[in-house]
Amino acid sequence: MKVSLEWLRELIDVKVPAEELAETLTRGGIEVEGVEHLNQGLEPILVGEIVRLEHHPDADKLWICDVDLGDQSVQIVTGAQNLLVNDKIPVAAHGTTLPTGQKIRKSKLRGVESNGMLCSTDELLLNASFGDPRSEGGIMILPPETPVGISLSEVIQGDSVLDLELYPNRPDCLAMVNVAREISSLTGEKIHVNRWAETEQGPDYPADTQTQIIIEEPELCHRYAALLVEDVKIEPSPDWMQKRLSAAGVRPISNIVDITNYVMLEMGQPLHAFDRDKVSGAVHVRRARAGEKLMTLDHAERTLDPEMLLIADDKEALGLAGVMGGLDSEITDSTTRILVESAHFSNVSIRRTSRRLGLRSEASNRFEKGINVAGIAATLGRVSELILQLGAGRPVGFVEECKILPEARTAKITPEKTSALLGMDFSLEEISSVLDRLQFLYEPKDGGFLVKVPSYRSDIQIEQDLIEEVARLTGYDRIPTTLPRGSQTQGRRTPEQEFRHKLRHLMVNLGMNEVLTYSFNRPDADKAWGQAERGIPLMNPLREELSVMRTSLLPSLLEVAARNVTRRNLDVRIFEIGNVYLGTGEPLTELPEERLRLAGLLYGKPSRHWLKSSNEYSFYTVKGLMEEVGQELGIKLEYRVPKNTELLHPGRSAEIYLQGEKVGFMGELHPAMGKESGLEHALVFELELKPLFDASDRTIRAASIPRFPAVQRDLAVVVAKDIPAQAVMARIRELGGKLLENVDIFDVYTGKPIPEDRKSLAFALRYQSLERTLTDEEVTALNTKILEGIEKEFGAESRK
């Protein structure tokens, strides 16, 4: 936002230089990016009048001019072709230094003496809008009434422009009147803005019965008002308006267009003027139709879609709402009636339209940041006032359609909360002083104030916002600085972090490679491996393959493995520790449940080595990994026959349990799944880590090495085929008591001479005591007890 200091002085008494004002605003939270001084160095340039103009005798493109400077007449040779006798022009006489730094001296051009230079806007570093339209491309032509002999600085006064760097929380400062309010609150100076900036009422004109407004999309257009003006005279706007628009970076065009731009800059409300005679029937605010086209004011044909909001009549589109008007309804030199639009459009809708079309304007910038819906009608009052002031037309009617008008906002502020947040004591009087400077209405309530927030301050919603205003106006430099205090502790990992760290290093030490994948999956893959009913679809996914939050880690690992195998990496050992995300239903009303899991995949076989044979990974490879995990964490995992074998091999998979609760699964991919993915005989596992963390024994205990020898006995039994070896081992441990240190199964046999419906299990039992040497009699008795127990429970028979 470029703020002209000359314009600002009309709204508030600015008594300090531009640089000091910039510092005040920056300290108050409105950052000033820079200060630009305009129209400087014009003091030595004089206003002259051409009294004689003739061709140079030796050059067809040069002219000899006699120029009256008031107290003297000088002869100047020029190549400009836009001059006439009696033109008033800026003259740099002999010895003058131009704003560009060029020094003018006497010279001869083709034998004719020239005692100065006639100046163009470029040579004076002026905006091209200054001067008569004939000035373009040549010498600057001043108004005929300009006095001869005076300094050009008296005709074109200097100005300073403050470039405000505004953030999205302060869209109100995109209006000059609100910048004046901000300066008033910071400096204490009284403002004197126009009366329309202090009201929410529209202009007092009869209802425009010729114009009907139909808002078809009330969610996208809350309010729409229009001013009908007749007897319009299209002509250039006055110099004072052109200068202010130019200082703000807006190119002057004509009186009507300049008035709409001027009021937009002054009051922050974008406006647009339609040629009323080019509007057929009612004014509609509607969505564009698919494939509908519109020629905008920049002479570009735009193809629209239903996400874009249009202003249209009964027949065709008139303009892109909040972005740019249409070429077919623009005002021209022949326009005699206009309809001036003032509306409130959805900032989301305007932003989408602007981005899709690559079309940005001053209006779209303001709509995107948010405008004051309560000031829609009053803005047209200011427009009508300027139209009458400039004699540009006769306002005759006003019409408005309002769908949504937000209620007035209030917020409470108390000294206690203010003091606690800002770290210094504030009294009620200090807070009320700040509210008075802001010109906020308030009343006492519960030891504080209930503040009525002005509609133009959209950034103030809650008490903390008001406290920020107190800090800004009191001065951030007044808030005391304190060093952070607190007890210092040694930096260390939390128990959860230590658990994850230990598990990660264990897997690496077991020969696995860690991978990190996206937290998103393909919907079909996640449905197969995860919990599809609790999946969370993304509103704006990177691509279809990553469109749901994962409920399992395995689909990503399968993709990583398949990519490696296609590149001839046939020894794949990968794992990942990461979260899965389980929703609570759609639409999502609360954060999803995050569960930490460990998953892994093995495929192929280890690389060949001279010292050991190279066997393919099998179910027991994965089971060995799980046993290592259990041993490292101090927990005992159990394995059961899986109930669902659609994804895993029916005879080479297992569900993993901990203390009776299922915590995961492991096994070989189902042959059909393996063939489909190109990973036949691949082995996978997935574990929930929270139950493992809760049950893990993180206490380090020291144990002495036994002094007494152990006794090893083998036990072979024949049981029914459907009896799990795990169940037999568990019963053996229970019967063996404290003296049975370890049980391992070392053989499972089926075939002759074992009956077809039975199998042979062979166990190695290790007995040991920390207090004495065990006798053969004791060990034999325990072995007998164990055999009798499993014979009774499982119908086992001893195998000799």
Side-chain angles (χ1 to χ4, degrees):
M1 174 70 177
K2 294 183 180 296
V3 175
S4 163
L5 198 58
E6 180 270 330
W7 190 352
L8 200 58
R9 287 194 176 102
E10 183 183 282
L11 306 175
I12 185 172
D13 296 327
V14 179
K15 301 177 181 178
V16 297
E19 285 76 12
E20 187 174 333
L21 180 62
E23 179 67 19
T24 300
L25 283 169
T26 300
R27 285 181 175 274
I30 305 297
E31 183 179 348
V32 179
E33 197 172 51
V35 178
E36 181 183 2
H37 298 286
L38 304 179
N39 313 335
Q40 304 297 306
L42 302 181
E43 293 79 7
I45 311 300
L46 302 177
V47 176
E49 181 179 2
I50 298 176
V51 295
R52 183 177 67 91
L53 188 65
E54 63 180 34
H55 277 293
H56 192 292
D58 294 326
D60 293 339
K61 294 185 178 181
L62 295 181
W63 294 86
I64 301 173
C65 309
D66 285 345
V67 182
D68 180 15
L69 295 179
D71 58 352
Q72 61 175 318
S73 179
V74 295
Q75 176 179 284
I76 297 176
V77 179
T78 179
Q81 305 299 314
N82 65 324
L83 299 177
L84 299 173
V85 174
N86 298 326
D87 278 345
K88 304 288 181 65
I89 38 81
V91 179
H94 168 68
T96 299
T97 301
L98 296 178
T100 60
Q102 179 184 357
K103 193 165 185 178
I104 305 302
R105 300 185 183 277
K106 292 181 180 180
S107 62
K108 284 189 177 182
L109 296 175
R110 295 290 182 94
V112 178
E113 188 175 273
S114 181
N115 297 298
M117 186 176 79
L118 309 184
C119 302
S120 67
T121 53
D122 289 342
E123 290 157 342
L124 298 175
L125 300 182
L126 294 176
N127 190 284
S129 62
F130 287 99
D132 187 273
R134 284 195 294 123
S135 304
E136 186 176 355
I139 299 302
M140 180 180 178
I141 311 298
L142 298 172
E145 65 274 10
T146 308
V148 174
I150 67 172
S151 170
L152 189 62
S153 62
E154 297 180 43
V155 181
I156 302 174
Q157 295 181 349
D159 193 7
S160 297
V161 176
L162 280 63
D163 190 359
L164 306 187
E165 178 68 23
L166 297 177
Y167 297 100
N169 67 318
R170 292 303 304 270
D172 57 298
C173 286
L174 287 168
M176 289 292 296
V177 293
N178 291 333
V179 174
R181 288 187 174 109
E182 187 67 23
I183 294 172
S184 173
S185 66
L186 292 169
T187 64
E189 298 291 340
K190 296 295 183 182
I191 61 171
H192 28 84
V193 297
N194 67 76
R195 67 189 181 97
W196 299 104
E198 303 290 352
T199 182
E200 296 180 359
Q201 301 300 316
D204 188 17
Y205 292 111
D208 179 8
T209 57
Q210 304 176 44
T211 306
Q212 181 186 7
I213 297 172
I214 302 174
I215 300 177
E216 300 179 13
E217 298 292 337
E219 294 300 319
L220 303 182
C221 178
H222 298 169
R223 191 178 184 186
Y224 192 102
L227 177 72
L228 178 63
V229 183
E230 295 184 345
D231 300 332
V232 172
K233 300 175 184 177
I234 304 298
E235 57 188 10
S237 54
D239 286 345
W240 63 267
M241 181 175 284
Q242 292 194 37
K243 291 174 184 176
R244 290 180 179 180
L245 290 174
S246 298
V250 177
R251 181 174 63 89
I253 297 174
S254 65
N255 52 357
I256 296 299
V257 176
D258 291 353
I259 286 172
T260 60
N261 286 332
Y262 185 89
V263 175
M264 176 186 69
L265 294 171
E266 184 181 37
M267 301 185 66
Q269 171 65 46
L271 303 162
H272 184 70
F274 297 102
D275 187 323
R276 183 64 183 87
D277 294 323
K278 297 177 181 177
V279 178
S280 301
V283 175
H284 298 259
V285 184
R286 62 171 174 83
R287 291 179 184 268
R289 303 182 183 96
E292 188 172 2
K293 297 184 183 298
L294 172 69
M295 183 74 73
T296 49
L297 289 173
D298 57 356
H299 296 269
E301 186 178 62
R302 313 281 179 176
T303 301
L304 313 178
D305 62 55
E307 291 298 315
M308 299 175 184
L309 194 65
L310 285 182
I311 308 301
D313 60 15
D314 291 340
K315 296 181 179 179
E316 60 184 2
L318 301 175
L320 281 168
V323 181
M324 186 174 286
L327 188 64
D328 293 341
S329 60
E330 75 166 334
I331 59 174
T332 63
D333 292 343
S334 61
T335 297
T336 59
R337 296 199 308 158
I338 62 171
L339 196 67
V340 184
E341 161 199 280
S342 178
H344 182 278
F345 302 118
S346 163
N347 58 344
V348 175
S349 173
I350 301 303
R351 185 181 300 112
R352 285 176 178 170
T353 300
S354 180
R355 287 186 177 180
R356 288 187 182 186
L357 296 177
L359 186 62
R360 294 190 61 82
S361 62
E362 284 285 343
S364 67
N365 179 47
R366 283 167 168 77
F367 278 119
E368 286 178 24
K369 289 180 169 62
I371 61 170
N372 178 18
V373 65
I376 300 296
T379 303
L380 290 179
R382 176 59 172 160
V383 171
S384 65
E385 184 177 74
L386 285 173
I387 287 176
L388 292 172
Q389 180 182 336
L390 271 58
R394 181 170 57 89
V396 296
F398 172 76
V399 63
E400 179 184 16
E401 180 71 13
C402 186
K403 293 294 185 181
I404 301 175
L405 193 61
E407 297 181 358
R409 284 172 285 119
T410 59
K412 185 182 176 183
I413 185 171
T414 61
E416 293 78 15
K417 188 68 174 288
T418 304
S419 302
L421 282 183
L422 298 183
M424 60 182 293
D425 293 332
F426 284 90
S427 64
L428 273 175
E429 291 74 18
E430 289 175 309
I431 294 176
S432 66
S433 174
V434 168
L435 296 176
D436 290 337
R437 289 163 62 185
L438 289 166
Q439 299 182 20
F440 288 1
L441 299 178
Y442 60 93
E443 60 184 32
K445 184 174 183 180
D446 300 333
F449 296 113
L450 183 64
V451 182
K452 182 179 179 181
V453 181
S455 58
Y456 60 84
R457 287 300 300 271
S458 60
D459 59 310
I460 298 179
Q461 302 286 338
I462 57 177
E463 182 176 4
Q464 286 79 356
D465 296 327
L466 288 173
I467 293 173
E468 183 181 5
E469 295 300 296
V470 172
R472 283 196 320 111
L473 270 63
T474 302
Y476 291 119
D477 54 342
R478 282 192 55 199
I479 299 176
T481 56
T482 56
L483 293 173
R485 292 180 296 174
S487 57
Q488 294 185 347
T489 59
Q490 180 183 356
R492 63 178 63 184
R493 299 186 186 94
T494 63
E496 292 84 357
Q497 291 171 332
E498 189 61 44
F499 172 80
R500 192 181 302 193
H501 179 77
K502 178 192 292 187
L503 195 57
R504 176 175 287 109
H505 280 264
L506 171 64
M507 299 307 295
V508 171
N509 291 337
L510 291 172
M512 303 289 284
N513 297 300
E514 185 176 15
V515 298
L516 295 175
T517 63
Y518 285 114
S519 297
F520 319 117
N521 278 339
R522 289 183 292 110
D524 56 340
D526 198 74
K527 181 178 180 181
W529 288 97
Q531 297 173 250
E533 70 280 0
R534 299 187 66 180
I536 306 169
L538 301 182
M539 294 180 64
N540 187 24
L542 296 172
R543 54 181 184 271
E544 180 61 27
E545 293 79 6
L546 301 172
S547 59
V548 297
M549 300 292 288
R550 65 186 180 190
T551 58
S552 173
L553 301 179
L554 283 177
S556 298
L557 295 187
L558 288 168
E559 289 185 9
V560 172
R563 193 178 305 116
N564 275 268
V565 170
T566 57
R567 287 159 176 77
R568 304 303 298 165
N569 177 14
L570 302 180
D571 179 14
V572 180
R573 293 169 289 174
I574 56 176
F575 77 96
E576 181 173 9
I577 299 175
N579 286 327
V580 297
Y581 306 89
L582 305 175
T584 54
E586 291 187 37
L588 201 63
T589 57
E590 57 186 38
L591 290 176
E593 179 186 357
E594 297 186 34
R595 293 184 183 176
L596 186 66
R597 290 186 181 176
L598 163 67
L601 182 146
L602 294 93
Y603 175 82
K605 58 183 178 180
S607 302
R608 289 181 292 180
H609 193 275
W610 65 271
L611 189 59
K612 59 183 180 181
S613 59
S614 179
N615 297 319
E616 289 191 356
Y617 300 120
S618 66
F619 171 82
Y620 295 103
T621 309
V622 179
K623 184 173 182 291
L625 292 174
M626 297 299 98
E627 288 294 310
E628 290 287 347
V629 169
Q631 184 174 344
E632 179 71 17
L633 300 180
I635 57 178
K636 187 64 179 176
L637 298 175
E638 300 175 7
Y639 310 95
R640 300 181 187 176
V641 176
K643 298 177 182 177
N644 186 353
T645 57
E646 294 180 3
L647 301 174
L648 299 178
H649 195 292
R652 302 172 188 171
S653 58
E655 292 178 345
I656 306 172
Y657 283 77
L658 174 65
Q659 298 173 353
E661 177 188 356
K662 182 181 175 181
V663 294
F665 60 87
M666 65 179 184
E668 183 180 316
L669 285 183
H670 192 284
M673 176 73 69
K675 189 173 183 180
E676 179 183 344
S677 62
L679 298 171
E680 294 182 81
H681 307 298
L683 298 133
V684 297
F685 64 87
E686 188 168 36
L687 287 173
E688 291 277 3
L689 291 186
K690 187 178 185 307
L692 273 63
F693 171 76
D694 294 338
S696 64
D697 187 356
R698 293 178 288 277
T699 304
I700 300 176
R701 293 182 177 86
S704 61
I705 298 174
R707 297 172 53 195
F708 304 99
V711 179
Q712 183 90 18
R713 293 288 176 90
D714 293 341
L715 179 64
V717 293
V718 177
V719 296
K721 268 190 176 181
D722 58 351
I723 294 177
Q726 180 76 23
V728 179
M729 289 179 65
R731 184 57 177 157
I732 290 174
R733 289 192 185 96
E734 184 180 342
L735 293 169
K738 294 181 179 181
L739 295 181
L740 181 59
E741 184 193 55
N742 188 49
V743 180
D744 284 323
I745 183 170
F746 64 87
D747 184 53
V748 178
Y749 176 73
T750 57
K752 294 181 179 180
I754 308 298
E756 290 185 2
D757 60 341
R758 299 177 74 79
K759 62 183 176 183
S760 171
L761 304 177
F763 303 95
L765 284 63
R766 180 184 175 89
Y767 299 93
Q768 191 170 27
S769 171
L770 297 176
E771 300 171 352
R772 57 190 173 81
T773 301
L774 297 177
T775 63
D776 286 342
E777 289 77 10
E778 287 179 296
V779 173
T780 301
L782 279 173
N783 241 25
T784 302
K785 177 184 176 183
I786 291 171
L787 181 59
E788 291 174 352
I790 60 176
E791 284 177 348
K792 182 179 180 181
E793 185 167 344
F794 300 107
E797 298 176 3
S798 176
R799 184 182 177 195
K800 301 298 184 180

